[in-house]
Amino acid sequence: MLTNKYISDVQKGFKAGTPGCLEHSFAMFEALLDAKSHSRQIVVAWLDLKNAYGSVRHNLIQFALSWFHVPKVVRNLIFDYYDKICAQLRVKKERTKFFQFEIGLFQGCVLSCILFNCVFQLLLDLIEPLAEKHGYKFKDIPVVLHDQAFADDLSITTSHPKLSQLTIDKVVEFLIWARLQANPKKCICMAMKKFSENDTEYERYGETVYCPYNPKLFIKDEELKFIVNVANDPASLQYDHFKELGRFISVNLKEDKIKAEIRRKLIADMEIVEACGVNGLCKLFIYEHYVVSRVSWGFFIHNLTLSFVCELDRYVIPKLKRWAGLYRNADVGALFRRRKHMGLQLTSLELHYQRLQVVKCCLLQSSKDANVRDL
C-alpha cells in the first residue's frame, strides 16, 4: 500500500517512522499563524466519527481491498478470517448460540490498523480533488493545507466557510454510502478573518478588525460547536481551546493558558513529591523519572518560550537543593553535572526544553511529507 502510494501523506496514523501527531499539529498551527500574520481568512473544522472501528462493515473492507488491487488470495484470507470470528453471550447459567460478526474491525488485531487505513483512504481519495481549490494556500510558500487525517480524526482547512461546507457535505456523502456515522457533539470549528465595518454575516469573537468568528458549519443538519464556550468554566483550558492530537490550539492562538496549565501541573506534581514520606534522594529520583517526563510533551509540542521554562526552573531548583541536602547558595551545577564530574546528573528543565526543540526540528526537517519539510 505504501510502495504504491495508495496511502497518502494526508493519513499519518499507524505509519512507521512518521511522527504524525507532531507533523499534523505543526502544519495546522503554522497555517493559522500564517493567516493571522497576513490578515487572511482561514476556516478549520475538526470532525469526529461515532465508533469508527466498530462501524466498518466487513463487505466494505473487501471493497476497499479490491479497490486498491490487493491480490485475491490475500482478500480471501482476510474474508475467511473475519467470516469465521464468532461470539457467544453467557449470563449466569444461560448462554446463546454462537453468532457471527458482520461489522467492526477488532482493535488489538494486527490487521485492524492497516485495514482501517484502507477503508478511510477511500474518503481521503474522494475529497482529494477539492484540495487545490478549497484548501488554505500559504502566503509565501507553495503549500496548500486542506485535509489531515490521523486514523479516523479528520480536519478540514479552507479559506472560506462555504468551501468548508462543500467539503463537509462530500464527507457526509461518503459516510452515508459507507454506513458510518459522524459524531456532531465532538465536532469543533473555528475561523478567522478581517472584518469590515458593515460585516454582520458572522458572529465575531473580539473587537479587533482581524479576529476569530463562528463560521456556522453543519454536518448532517447539526451545527458544529464553535471553539469558544465548549466548556462551562471560562477559566478552564477547554473553554476556548481545542486539543488536536495532543496540542492545544486557542481561539486567539496565544499560549498564555497553556503555559499556566503546564505551570500548574508542574507545581502540583512537585508538591505531591514534597509531601510524600520518602527521603530526599528518593524525591530526586521521582523528579528525574516522573516529573520531568510529565512536562516533556507540553515542552515538545507547544510553542513555548525559553524565559517561561527558566521561570519553571527557578521554582524547581530550590526544592532539588533541599532534597539533595545542599545549602541555598550552592552551585547549581552540582545538581545537573554528570556523576563522573561530581554531580547528581539530574535534568535541568531549561536544557531539557532545548533538547526537545532540537529533536522537534530534526523530525520536521527529515519528514517524509514534502509539505512538512517546506513549512
Side-chain angles (χ1 to χ4, degrees):
M1 293 291 291
L2 293 175
T3 302
N4 288 290
K5 298 183 179 180
Y6 291 147
I7 303 295
S8 65
D9 287 336
V10 170
Q11 174 63 270
K12 296 193 185 295
F14 314 125
K15 292 168 73 174
T18 302
C21 293
L22 171 64
E23 292 186 7
H24 270 343
S25 60
F26 167 76
M28 174 64 71
F29 202 69
E30 286 299 309
L32 294 169
L33 290 177
D34 182 82
K36 186 175 182 179
S37 62
H38 296 100
S39 298
R40 306 174 75 200
Q41 183 166 214
I42 187 171
V43 183
V44 182
W46 291 280
L47 308 181
D48 186 68
L49 304 184
K50 285 184 180 177
N51 188 24
Y53 271 77
S55 301
V56 176
R57 299 180 180 274
H58 297 170
N59 285 339
L60 180 59
I61 297 172
Q62 289 297 312
F63 175 83
L65 294 174
S66 176
W67 182 266
F68 291 115
H69 312 294
V70 174
K72 189 173 182 180
V73 62
V74 179
R75 300 203 309 268
N76 289 341
L77 183 65
I78 294 173
F79 179 80
D80 194 45
Y81 168 51
Y82 273 88
D83 191 49
K84 292 181 179 177
I85 292 182
C86 302
Q88 182 185 67
L89 297 180
R90 299 182 182 182
V91 182
K92 296 182 179 179
K93 296 182 179 180
E94 301 295 326
R95 66 180 65 184
T96 67
K97 295 181 179 180
F98 279 97
F99 57 89
Q100 292 177 302
F101 288 101
E102 295 180 354
I103 187 173
L105 285 163
F106 308 110
Q107 296 189 59
C109 168
V110 294
L111 275 177
S112 61
C113 298
I114 184 60
L115 289 181
F116 184 84
N117 273 3
C118 287
V119 171
F120 206 74
Q121 189 61 43
L122 297 172
L123 168 60
L124 300 180
D125 288 345
L126 181 67
I127 62 178
E128 181 185 7
L130 305 177
E132 190 63 32
K133 183 179 179 181
H134 292 187
Y136 175 80
K137 297 178 177 63
F138 282 77
K139 176 72 174 178
D140 299 321
I141 53 176
V143 173
V144 178
L145 187 67
H146 180 246
D147 50 304
Q148 294 178 308
F150 192 93
D152 64 314
D153 293 326
L154 180 66
S155 63
I156 304 296
T157 308
T158 68
S159 56
H160 195 277
K162 292 181 180 178
L163 299 178
S164 293
Q165 191 60 61
L166 288 173
T167 302
I168 293 173
D169 291 343
K170 187 65 70 173
V171 172
V172 171
E173 286 182 24
F174 173 83
L175 296 180
I176 293 173
W177 174 80
R179 301 177 75 176
L180 300 172
Q181 286 187 310
N183 189 4
K185 293 181 179 179
K186 291 187 177 181
C187 295
I188 307 292
C189 67
M190 72 168 289
M192 298 185 296
K193 77 169 187 172
K194 187 176 182 179
F195 282 83
S196 61
E197 292 183 2
N198 301 322
D199 192 345
T200 58
E201 183 179 0
Y202 296 103
E203 178 186 354
R204 59 198 292 181
Y205 181 79
E207 300 298 328
T208 56
V209 175
Y210 184 87
C211 64
Y213 69 95
N214 186 353
K216 296 287 184 180
L217 301 177
F218 293 83
I219 185 166
K220 283 193 172 181
D221 299 325
E222 291 194 47
E223 186 176 345
L224 273 65
K225 290 182 178 180
F226 184 44
I227 192 172
V228 182
N229 303 325
V230 174
N232 296 324
D233 182 11
S236 72
L237 191 64
Q238 286 78 17
Y239 180 77
D240 53 3
H241 286 64
F242 177 75
K243 191 175 185 181
E244 184 199 29
L245 302 176
R247 194 204 199 284
F248 282 102
I249 297 176
S250 68
V251 66
N252 55 14
L253 307 186
K254 294 182 179 179
E255 308 277 12
D256 297 343
K257 278 191 176 181
I258 297 166
K259 291 178 180 178
E261 183 69 8
I262 292 174
R263 184 188 298 108
R264 183 192 66 79
K265 288 184 176 180
L266 175 66
I267 292 174
D269 287 343
M270 293 295 287
E271 288 179 350
I272 291 173
V273 178
E274 180 84 79
C276 68
V278 296
N279 62 41
L281 293 180
C282 289
K283 290 178 180 178
L284 294 178
F285 182 88
I286 296 172
Y287 162 81
E288 180 69 16
H289 297 281
Y290 172 74
V291 176
V292 173
S293 63
R294 287 260 290 172
V295 299
S296 294
W297 181 253
F299 282 6
F300 181 69
I301 201 72
H302 295 107
N303 293 351
L304 305 177
T305 59
L306 191 58
S307 59
F308 166 71
V309 179
C310 291
E311 176 190 330
L312 299 181
D313 244 345
R314 287 194 292 271
Y315 168 80
V316 167
I317 287 174
K319 292 186 179 297
L320 299 182
K321 285 183 176 180
R322 186 165 61 252
W323 297 343
L326 300 176
Y327 61 92
R328 185 179 300 178
N329 295 327
D331 178 22
V332 176
L335 295 171
F336 306 126
R337 284 196 301 267
R338 294 188 177 277
R339 293 190 180 92
K340 66 179 181 180
H341 296 139
M342 305 301 290
L344 294 175
Q345 202 169 319
L346 298 174
T347 299
S348 161
L349 294 183
E350 178 184 352
L351 185 59
H352 187 55
Y353 172 73
Q354 292 173 326
R355 286 171 176 166
L356 289 174
Q357 294 307 300
V358 173
V359 171
K360 177 179 179 179
C361 182
C362 291
L363 287 173
L364 294 172
Q365 286 183 339
S366 61
S367 171
K368 297 176 182 178
D369 188 339
N371 285 341
V372 172
R373 294 195 303 271
D374 290 341
L375 287 173

